[in-house]
Amino acid sequence: MATEGSPPSKLGDLFRDWRQPLRRFLARRRAGCVADIDDIAQEVFLRLLRYDRSELIDFPQAYLFKIASNVTAEWAMRSSRRLPHHSEWLTELVDALSPEAELEREMLDQQLRCAVSTLPARAREILRLHFAEGLPHEDIARTLGVTRKIVKRDIARAYASLRISLDRNPFEVTQREGGAKPP
Amino acid sequence: MTSEARFENRRIAERAALWLLTVQSEQLSVSQRAEFIDWLRESPLHIAEMLRVCRLQRDLANFKGWDQIAPMDGGPASALIEFFESRSVAAAVRPPGHRVRNMMLLAASVAALCVLAILVLARFDQIVLSTQLGERREMTLVDGSVVDLAPNSEVVVRYRARERLIALNHGEALFHVARNPNRPFIVQAALTSVRAVGTVFNVGRDVHGVSITVVEGRVSVSQRSASNAADAPAESCATALCLGADEQVSISPAGRATAVRKVRSDAEIGWATGRLAFENETVAEIARRFNLYNRTQIQVLDADLAARRISGIFQASDPESFVAFVQAVAGAQVAQRDSEHIALGSPAQSSSGDTAH
């Protein structure tokens, strides 16, 4: 990502707690890296299972992001040591202003613009009010004359649509096709 | 992607988005936190989806093009057209002077097509590997993973772009999984799935069920219910079990898992190096294992001897050493012997003078 500045505080403090590796990792979205999330998630999953449930319940989100941060950091270290070709995402991020990063940034903007445009009108407006004008959910609800619950639901649905259309790289359709095969 | 799978993906994505919004906007109650953590621990897919939706939110926060988004009265139809146009000709919405970047985009999509072609080819990659009695095979798969196949065993290798699937039809195999961040390695035996990223583990399958032993690294073991046996394993691992190095679990055909046992994995997988290790195993079972590896078949005539439990490490190709051991330790006698057959009996049954040491 071209700018590594902290996101607006209105989004909550979640991101600020993340350590660099996870933030950087998530900043990547080139096709080749998309699948890495599954791998990180697999490891986070295994570690979460090792924890005592009663311990996790105190701060589920903190544990989730802490573990994810750790896994990502270890991953980056390991891959730079053992598999030099897999460490490219890390080194590229250090050089965040490389032409390639800029290109990627631009492609993402382009994709986002397209994806957001396909959302239902109200969802689009809610996202715009939230991210461009910084309105909290309550104010958006008041502006549009709907309940807070609808705002939240619309955002959640919009996130799901956006995330699916953004992460759908050209291969994914083919790859998953045989997913539900008989054993 | 099947439509069900797509629907399921979307459902998980929405759930993850709702959790993210909830976590950010309010203090969670104890029961909400419990629900959240249980949901996360249900499947790696849920965690992946959480991370993806976080990333999306971050991207949206950094997105600078809100002023170009059509306001609420802009019809969805025009937006759709813009979507397709901009997908196919990126140049249309770009200011001039970006020709170089457009070329790069083009190059990127050409590269994507090539990869696609390779992946499509890879989909039809299905290899059946099997061994006969007395045969042991070691095979290196295209990704560098190595499968050691025990005698009288069969696996089917189906490599997909996003996962490496191995079905253990019967027998036993040791997997040295080449680490690949992009493709989890999944071994399916009956209704059990063992999922790994890069590790060494052993899976055995017989009438008593499935047994999994981890030598190195970690795997997650999950069980499909018989009713939705056709489901993809990752989608339905409601009860996943985490297994670490030197740990072993057995799962009955009914799907019941034993407690996780600590084992000496090097002994457990000794078969792959030509050694057979037994700990407190019946003579009958040991004879059966030897018989898998050798043309010379051992027959245990005496029921007491068959039920007797012994421990030891033997060379798999040397049934004589086992016969000698049973003679020494359990007082068994060789009742009968020819070039391909050794019958073991109790001392009372034995014909004398036939013992060769």
Side-chain angles (χ1 to χ4, degrees), chain A residues 1 3-5 7-8 11 14-15 18 22-23 25-29 32 34-53 56-61 64-65 68 75 78 82-83 86 102-103 105-110 112-118 121-122 124-125 127-128 131-132 137 144 148 152-153 155-167 170-183, chain B residues 1-2 6 9-10 13-14 17-18 20-26 28 30 33-34 36-38 40-45 47-66 68-72 74-76 79-80 82-83 86-87 90 93-94 98 101 104-105 108 112-113 115-116 119-120 123 158 160-163 165 179-182 188 190 195-197 218-220 224 229-233 237 240-242:
Chain A
M1 206 155 288
T3 51
E4 187 48 60
L11 289 175
L14 213 54
F15 297 116
W18 297 3
L22 183 61
R23 294 223 308 264
F25 170 75
L26 290 178
R28 301 290 296 175
R29 41 161 74 254
V34 169
D36 285 344
I37 278 204
D38 291 327
D39 209 35
I40 297 282
Q42 167 83 20
E43 184 63 28
V44 173
F45 174 72
L46 293 177
R47 291 189 193 187
L48 269 181
L49 287 183
R50 285 212 302 270
Y51 276 85
D52 201 38
R53 184 171 174 274
L56 292 170
I57 277 178
D58 292 338
F59 306 100
Q61 65 270 42
L64 172 66
F65 293 121
W75 205 270
R78 219 178 315 158
R82 274 201 222 152
L83 303 162
H86 278 167
E102 204 189 321
L103 173 73
R105 168 84 220 156
E106 212 161 300
M107 281 172 76
L108 173 62
D109 258 22
Q110 169 81 3
L112 267 175
R113 203 173 306 134
C114 295
V116 170
S117 301
T118 58
R122 189 176 65 198
R124 222 160 58 214
E125 183 67 4
L127 288 188
R128 199 185 63 76
F131 288 103
H137 295 185
L144 298 181
R148 263 193 65 180
K152 188 174 163 187
R153 193 202 60 193
I155 296 182
R157 286 186 184 167
Y159 279 5
S161 305
L162 290 176
R163 116 90 183 109
I164 286 169
S165 59
L166 282 179
D167 287 337
F171 337 125
E172 199 162 346
V173 177
T174 341
Q175 289 165 2
R176 287 280 180 86
E177 219 145 60
K181 52 98 218 152
Chain B
M1 203 187 308
T2 63
R6 200 176 295 139
N9 277 356
R10 170 150 192 124
E14 249 179 63
L18 269 179
L20 178 64
L21 294 172
T22 307
V23 162
Q24 286 171 334
S25 62
E26 52 200 90
L28 298 187
V30 176
R33 293 200 304 259
F36 184 36
I37 206 68
D38 288 342
L40 287 174
R41 297 216 295 180
E42 228 168 79
S43 160
L45 286 181
I47 291 165
E49 210 53 52
M50 270 317 285
L51 295 178
R52 286 210 169 90
V53 81
C54 286
R55 176 168 70 177
L56 172 79
Q57 192 179 55
R58 202 179 141 78
D59 290 342
L60 284 172
N62 287 323
F63 179 52
K64 299 284 182 288
W66 290 108
Q68 292 167 47
I69 299 294
M72 205 165 168
L80 204 62
E82 186 200 324
F83 177 65
S86 52
R87 279 232 146 168
V93 280
R94 283 166 178 281
H98 281 213
R101 292 210 180 92
M104 287 173 75
L105 273 178
L113 276 179
V115 177
L116 182 63
L119 297 179
V120 170
R123 274 201 62 207
R158 288 189 205 92
R160 299 230 173 79
R162 283 172 62 94
E163 55 191 9
L165 282 181
R179 184 160 198 101
N180 186 336
N182 300 325
Q188 297 172 318
R195 190 181 155 106
V197 174
R218 266 185 307 282
V219 303
S220 98
R224 284 168 294 163
D231 279 4
C237 53
L241 186 78
C242 178

Side-chain angles (χ1 to χ4, degrees), chain B residues 113-175:
Chain B
L113 276 179
C114 296
V115 177
L116 182 63
I118 294 165
L119 297 179
V120 170
L121 289 178
R123 274 201 62 207
F124 297 103
D125 226 15
Q126 170 169 330
I127 317 161
V128 180
L129 306 169
S130 60
T131 49
Q132 305 295 316
L133 269 183
E135 183 190 3
R136 193 178 70 80
R137 283 178 75 181
E138 181 182 306
M139 282 139 306
T140 304
L141 303 174
V142 284
D143 65 323
S145 294
V146 176
V147 178
D148 266 319
L149 209 53
N152 203 18
S153 304
E154 182 178 290
V155 295
V156 180
V157 181
R158 288 189 205 92
Y159 270 20
R160 299 230 173 79
R162 283 172 62 94
E163 55 191 9
R164 295 169 281 178
L165 282 181
I166 310 258
L168 176 64
N169 289 344
H170 57 84
E172 184 171 5
L174 176 70
F175 304 95

